[in-house]
Amino acid sequence: MNQILIFSGTTEGRKLAEDLCKKGIHCTVCVATEYGEMVMEKREGLRICQGRMTVREMRELIQKENYNAVVDATHPFATVVSDNIRSSMTDCRIPYLRLRRQTRNQVIERIHNSREMQISFYPNSNSCAEALTDTSGKILLTTGSKELAIYSSKPWLKERLIVRVLPGIESINLCYEKGLTGRQIIAMQGPFSVEMNEAIMKQYDISCLVTKESGSAGGFLQKIKAAENLNIKVMVIGNPEPDEGLTQTEVYLELEKLTGVNLFEEEKVEISFIGMGMGNPRLLTKEAEEKLKIADVCFGAERLVNSIPWMKEKHSFYLARDIIPWLKEHRVKQAAVLFSGDTGFYSGSEKLREALKDEAEAENGLKSEVFIYPGISSISYLAARLQTSWQEAEIISIHGRAANVAWAVRANKKTFLLVSGVSDVRTLGSLLMAAGMEEVVISLGYQLSYPEEEIITISPAECLTLEKEGLYACMIVNDKAAERVLTHGMADEMFIRDKVPMTKEEIREISICKLGLAKTSVLYDVGSGTGSIAVECARISEDIQVYAIEKKAEAAKLIKVNRAQFGLTNVSVIQGEAPEAFLNLPFPTHAFIGGSSGNMKEILTAIYRKNPGARIVINVITLETLSEVTELLRTLPVRQEEIVQLQVSKASKAGRYHLMKAENPVYVISFFFKEEGQEKV
């Protein structure tokens, strides 16, 4: 039979005993007081030994039964008890496991987040009591009843004390023995909420809080926060225990090995996705902060995890391929993943959530339950700093992705832009200047929420001079913004043409309609010429990716000029001959073929191999090319083929008259490739 001996007296010890009993592991739990026995929930397989024990009595108890292990879950300030337990186990062959309560760095984190906090640290109660001599007003003493004599023996302190102790007879009797009256005694079981602590401090007109560094399980942080809110001086007696021992998860894993019982079986790991705002923990929601307090581990970018000093177990990675294997190996109960800004605003949270969902459905996969806690996005934070609204702003990002920034700025009075750093800000200045928008106003939020935060208002030209590295967010205001036209349809005169062939305006618009582009299409513009098709298609949506493929150097150079004048970042110019130029490109969802240089069959075959479901539109002028394409339609797997002949005539002035001038007829051929299993429609 598996048996564990637990020296308890803490929340962690009680929970450990409950969890072990649930799994059929018998537990003997030793507590010092009647109150300690009272708060233990009675369970099958649980035996409670109440009363303080000597080293000899501990040794006799350990030797009396065949225990798998001894777990020391006593209070971190009960160092004498821990020493006695270790002494009693001299020459014992069973393992000693110290369940360590995490207390370090929690107050330091609170001080870091508060500029007004009055807090002092002391190595013991004697030094703290001496320091209280220099204070005035009432003192809330929350260090327990054992060291009460240190404070009550000093007459100038005794009458000022309000002591909060456990509602056990032993604790209350000690208070009376030290001469404290009923109005000075608060006998209540904690831990207490921030609100409850505040209410007590207000009711008793407290000027100074004395507490031990007892960790979150003892309600330590709630006391500190309440004192901070009321601007009350705090005196902390530091944890005397060495920073040794095991975390709760590590103790459970050790007990699994010793008993052969899976203590985590059929339990899901709870994973909290937490939006960190700009990165400063002060911007966390209260709900998110509470989840971080109870997490066993947190993951995220290095900048984010380092901003949580109280978290001992933290790792600076955030991708599913790294997080999932770690969780499967270490099997914690509570985990947190930190995301910058808001979890629903250009965040990686969606990809990780999907990956965890797939993992949960896989055989022997990690079972998890995800909870999402949003943060403050950079757009709302910057808008607040600028004292402006953002609901009407166009929101785009060039943080690791391409976007048509100039087009957005030209068409919107306000544009909010996410960037990666100072190099992106300089690129922004160049783009806007090349697009002829030198007069727009750019407001930059630098290191938002951090001490070095700065709001900078500059011009596109001044962007080029920025050198300070760091985190930036941008709001661009264009008072001369033109209303965006929702349809494509650019006049031929808008393009720089030189002597390079160009698909004419009317043919171009019908051809683009036949393409039927979607928001995230990938288009090959084969034989791009001046790039008129590429430019118009790229302007439909910043998410469309266009590859303008042109073999002639002169034409490729001209495409780049036209791309620049419209400020397009989603057009890639590929100088080379098709289909060889397709080699390193992503597969196309659509292709427009304006020129094939005699390689029509090879081009269509290459596109089919890259994507058997692609949509194709071809412009044909000569009858020979028309014959070639129609023959290919008989041999290639296609569906929904359509051939349209267009004859465009434009009026030209001849004196007082307008005469229609005909242009060459053009055949617009469109079709889908037919994927395997599809019938020809």
Side-chain angles (χ1 to χ4, degrees), residues 173-187:
N173 283 340
L174 278 171
C175 292
Y176 281 115
E177 287 175 12
K178 302 308 175 186
L180 298 176
T181 62
R183 66 181 179 83
Q184 290 180 280
I185 304 169
I186 304 172

Side-chain angles (χ1 to χ4, degrees), residues 663-679:
E663 296 184 356
N664 291 330
V666 178
Y667 297 90
V668 179
I669 304 170
S670 58
F671 57 88
F672 287 97
F673 280 126
K674 183 175 66 175
E675 297 181 76
E676 186 176 350
Q678 288 182 315
E679 294 298 322

Side-chain angles (χ1 to χ4, degrees), residues 505-671:
E505 182 178 344
E506 291 76 18
I507 306 300
R508 185 168 63 245
E509 308 318 326
I510 291 174
S511 297
I512 292 173
C513 285
K514 294 294 183 182
L515 276 169
L517 295 167
K519 184 179 179 181
T520 57
S521 295
V522 176
L523 171 68
Y524 287 3
D525 178 14
V526 182
S528 189
T530 61
S532 60
I533 289 283
V535 166
E536 284 222 49
C537 290
R539 280 166 57 98
I540 294 173
S541 168
E542 65 183 38
D543 294 314
I544 292 175
Q545 291 299 311
V546 181
Y547 293 88
I549 299 157
E550 175 57 54
K551 70 175 184 177
K552 295 180 180 178
E554 180 186 358
K557 184 177 179 180
L558 194 59
I559 298 169
K560 293 177 182 178
V561 173
N562 281 315
R563 177 184 64 181
Q565 76 161 329
F566 295 108
L568 299 170
T569 57
N570 54 338
V571 175
S572 299
V573 180
I574 311 298
Q575 186 180 341
E577 188 166 359
E580 290 80 6
F582 301 165
L583 184 61
N584 296 318
L585 303 184
F587 76 83
T589 59
H590 298 74
F592 173 79
I593 304 174
S596 64
S597 298
N599 297 325
M600 185 67 73
K601 180 178 180 180
E602 291 78 8
I603 290 170
L604 291 175
T605 301
I607 293 172
Y608 177 77
R609 287 173 179 165
K610 275 187 168 280
N611 180 14
R615 171 71 171 173
I616 310 296
V617 172
I618 306 172
N619 279 183
V620 173
I621 297 175
T622 69
L623 295 177
E624 288 76 14
T625 305
L626 176 64
S627 176
E628 180 187 9
V629 173
T630 53
E631 182 61 31
L632 287 171
L633 292 179
R634 295 190 187 97
T635 58
L636 290 171
V638 301
R639 60 188 179 90
Q640 295 185 20
E641 64 267 33
E642 182 181 51
I643 302 176
V644 176
Q645 184 193 49
L646 301 176
Q647 174 71 61
V648 176
S649 298
K650 285 191 172 183
S652 61
K653 276 192 174 183
R656 297 169 48 205
Y657 301 97
H658 286 81
L659 300 177
M660 298 304 295
K661 184 177 180 181
E663 296 184 356
N664 291 330
V666 178
Y667 297 90
V668 179
I669 304 170
S670 58
F671 57 88

